[in-house]
Amino acid sequence: MGSTGTVLRELRGAQKSAKGVSLYSRYVNRPAGRVLAAGAYRAGLTPNHVTLVSAAFTYAALAAVALVEPSWTLGVAVYAALAVGFAFDSADGQLARLTGRGGPDGEWLDHVVDCGKLLLVHAAVLISFYRFGELPSDAWLLLPLGFQLAAVVTFCAGLLREQLGKAAATAQVATAPAAPGTPPAPVSRVRAVALLPADYGVFCLVFLLLGAPGAFRAGYAVLAVVHTLFLAAFLTKWFRELRALRPG
């Protein structure tokens, strides 16, 4: 087992493409995940162990949102736990690529944890609104449900886009192989900045406002609108991309 420095260098060479990744994930979450992946490697943990650690941090934070009265202290604790959980979510994939121990079971477990996270984060906000919030109107209770819908549809549609795109590309290569040596598309810094509002790590920052219920509601509402707009844009883009992959 190499030194931590050696492991970190190997992890830097095992990164996924930065295409379609926001600045937060590229410069904050992935580097943090790299450090955690190196520690997990040194500790002898498997990628699935790391996924479960990520789930423990994330789900504990969401349980606290639902069960504990909002305060500044709670907001800091929740944000810290969510950020650490998100970094471990990056670390499991990095560790899998480093060790070659990834597989369908690990990918499945990672997606199950992610899907549960997207459902629970907005359910926790809804419960907090109902239990502790002095809401201007009961209509505010619909906001987490709408945000949850946008988040889950984005997640599922993106996952399906990836899998169906791979299947279509494989079929096309089998019938008409593409010319070799096609360079990858360059990483767009403008796109990386534009994707910041849709990044889960940026979304987690809103929980720092739990000590000011009105500010939290306003920030959460703005993010809900932004994510809904991103959903509309993503669905249009993914539909056109899949349509272009039709045979013939």
Side-chain angles (χ1 to χ4, degrees):
M1 186 178 292
S3 67
T4 300
T6 300
V7 174
L8 284 171
R9 284 192 295 273
E10 292 178 359
L11 283 166
R12 289 190 189 97
Q15 296 296 300
K16 292 193 295 185
S17 169
K19 183 180 178 181
V21 176
S22 83
L23 287 182
Y24 178 90
S25 286
R26 185 176 179 184
Y27 292 112
V28 178
N29 200 56
R30 284 187 177 180
R34 188 158 59 238
V35 173
L36 294 176
Y41 178 79
R42 299 281 295 173
L45 299 181
T46 69
N48 287 350
H49 290 149
V50 175
T51 300
L52 294 176
V53 172
S54 170
F57 274 97
T58 300
Y59 291 176
L62 299 181
V65 172
L67 300 176
V68 180
E69 186 171 359
S71 67
W72 292 110
T73 300
L74 177 66
V76 171
V78 165
Y79 169 72
L82 291 176
V84 171
F86 191 35
F88 271 111
D89 187 31
S90 174
D92 59 6
Q94 296 190 51
L95 182 61
R97 288 187 292 277
L98 174 69
T99 61
R101 298 177 68 180
D105 60 319
E107 188 172 358
W108 175 85
L109 180 62
D110 185 53
H111 287 318
V112 168
V113 170
D114 284 345
C115 187
K117 172 177 68 180
L118 292 177
L119 288 167
L120 288 176
V121 67
H122 302 293
V125 172
L126 174 61
I127 294 170
S128 180
F129 279 179
Y130 181 77
R131 295 188 66 203
F132 307 113
E134 296 181 1
L135 303 176
S137 166
D138 287 344
W140 278 93
L141 296 174
L142 297 175
L143 178 63
L145 295 177
F147 203 158
Q148 183 183 73
L149 175 64
V152 173
V153 171
T154 300
F155 177 78
C156 293
L159 188 59
L160 281 169
R161 161 64 185 94
E162 180 182 0
Q163 297 304 316
L164 292 172
K166 287 180 179 178
T170 301
Q172 287 180 351
V173 169
T175 56
T182 303
V187 176
S188 169
R189 180 62 61 91
V190 173
R191 178 179 172 82
V193 173
L195 287 173
L196 275 172
D199 193 295
Y200 175 78
V202 174
F203 162 75
C204 292
L205 288 167
V206 76
F207 288 96
L208 290 172
L209 298 175
L210 279 174
F216 175 79
R217 285 197 305 272
Y220 184 80
V222 168
L223 286 171
V225 172
V226 170
H227 279 244
T228 301
L229 294 175
F230 268 99
L231 171 60
F234 286 148
L235 291 181
T236 301
K237 175 178 181 292
W238 293 334
F239 181 80
R240 289 175 176 171
E241 289 173 348
L242 290 173
R243 190 171 186 177
L245 293 175
R246 282 184 182 180

